[in-house]
């Protein structure tokens, strides 16, 4: 007996996973650059209208940064460690 299976055409570890939700395209590009400098491939997904109209706030300006599922944990560790380092450098008060 044989069974038919449907696949998406790629391995599940290559499925894109959102690792960062940015307020705007500029922030998403900075995060993508951080990941790229660590050797983690990333892509930015955003609404086309936000880019066309140059929006920087609101839901149309929001953008997501995605990485392959196999690298998602590494990407999250990198981004959260840099987040904590930025917080420790902030002046108190």
């Amino acid at each position: 007996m044989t069974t038919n299976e449907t696949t998406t055409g790629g391995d599940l570890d290559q499925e894109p996973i959102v690792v960062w939700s940015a307020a705007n395209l500029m922030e998403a590009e900075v995060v993508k650059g951080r990941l790229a400098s660590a050797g983690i491939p990333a892509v930015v997904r955003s609404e086309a209208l936000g880019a066309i109209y140059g929006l920087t706030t609101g839901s149309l300006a929001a953008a997501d940064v995605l990485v392959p599922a196999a690298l998602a944990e590494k990407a999250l560790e990198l981004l959260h460690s840099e987040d904590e380092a930025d917080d420790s450098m902030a002046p108190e008060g």
Side-chain angles (χ1 to χ4, degrees):
M1 175 181 229
T2 61
T3 61
N4 293 331
E5 293 183 26
T6 303
T7 63
T8 59
D11 295 331
L12 290 179
D13 65 342
Q14 295 301 315
E15 289 285 325
I17 300 289
V18 175
V19 294
W20 193 271
S21 292
N24 55 52
L25 193 56
M26 291 174 284
E27 177 187 347
E29 289 295 335
V30 169
V31 171
K32 178 183 172 186
R34 285 180 177 175
L35 294 170
S37 69
I40 301 173
V43 295
V44 173
R45 178 179 64 191
S46 65
E47 290 289 335
L49 283 177
I52 291 169
Y53 291 112
L55 300 176
T56 57
T57 60
S59 61
L60 289 178
D64 292 328
V65 180
L66 298 91
V67 300
L71 298 173
E73 188 174 327
K74 181 179 177 183
L76 288 169
E77 287 175 7
L78 173 75
L79 294 172
H80 289 294
S81 69
E82 289 184 8
D83 242 3
E84 290 169 7
D86 289 345
D87 289 344
S88 68
M89 298 297 285
E92 292 184 29

